[in-house]
Amino acid sequence: MQKKSKTAAFTERGFAFGNIWKFYSFKAGKIVELRNDRQLAHWLLNIEFDSSIREFEIGKVERALDESKREKIYSFSAIVTPLLSPVEWHDIFLQQPQTGSVQWNECEEKRLLALKHKAIYRLYDDYSYFPRKQKIFPLLKVATLLSSGKNIAIPQQLIEKAHAHINDQQSGYIRDYLSVLNSFSTTTSLLYFSRLFASGEIQVEFDEAFFHMKTKWRKNDQ
């Protein structure tokens, strides 16, 4: 009998086997490997589709940092570089380390090092993701479309029509966006819509369905 995954609640995949994910990251322009469902949730919610993040590394990210006048190798779950704020060091856990434990002491050491290096150290656990749990599966669909369409060239006429619509309307619904682009395939139009979202050119309001006809978007003025 197959064993239930501890993180199946995030993706509804339901089983523990095969929980290494590979996706094309539009933000990074390369394939990223995510080692479990929890790391996948973190990438989707806090990195790939967060327009405030410029670049990132995720997985087992190692850095040689000076601690007590000697260099030591530290591992992080992710290191991200925001557009307008200091570099962030992320660690992901099932639950917050217990005060006084070895794991807690390691996290405190990293937190103090972050202050020294003018970085921000952040801890994430399952409770960090549950408030936005309903967004994970829709974003997974966006990431899947971007991965499968990574080598597809978008027709220039579609690009021009899409931008004219976005600049003219400033906000709207997917159904109106698709109506303007009805001479092109729906899949290609939604692929470009996903690229606009991933690049931060538009913001999208959604809960449990990203590609719903009534999903609302608005132009990002950043």
Side-chain angles (χ1 to χ4, degrees), residues 26 149 152-168 177 180-185 188-196 199 201-202 217 219:
F26 186 82
I152 293 178
I154 305 297
Q156 185 60 33
Q157 189 179 7
L158 186 156
I159 293 173
E160 292 172 358
K161 278 192 170 185
H163 280 279
H165 175 68
I166 289 168
N167 290 332
D168 180 54
Y177 167 88
V180 168
L181 302 174
N182 61 7
S183 58
F184 304 95
S185 76
T188 304
S189 298
L190 289 177
L191 172 61
Y192 191 62
F193 186 86
S194 299
R195 290 181 182 178
L196 290 170
S199 67
E201 292 185 55
I202 60 172
W217 61 267
K219 185 179 179 183

Side-chain angles (χ1 to χ4, degrees), residues 54-108:
R54 178 165 57 87
E55 58 187 35
F56 68 93
E57 295 177 66
I58 193 166
K60 185 180 180 182
V61 186
E62 294 187 333
R63 288 290 186 273
L65 301 169
D66 56 309
E67 188 270 334
S68 299
K69 298 182 180 180
R70 62 184 177 85
E71 277 202 345
K72 180 179 175 180
I73 302 297
Y74 292 87
S75 292
F76 302 93
S77 301
I79 293 180
V80 305
T81 305
L83 289 168
L84 301 173
S85 56
V87 170
E88 297 181 4
W89 302 344
H90 294 181
D91 271 333
I92 305 169
F93 298 99
L94 172 64
Q95 58 189 17
Q96 291 285 324
Q98 186 175 358
T99 303
S101 66
V102 172
Q103 200 171 56
W104 183 86
N105 289 332
E106 290 176 351
C107 292
E108 280 299 290

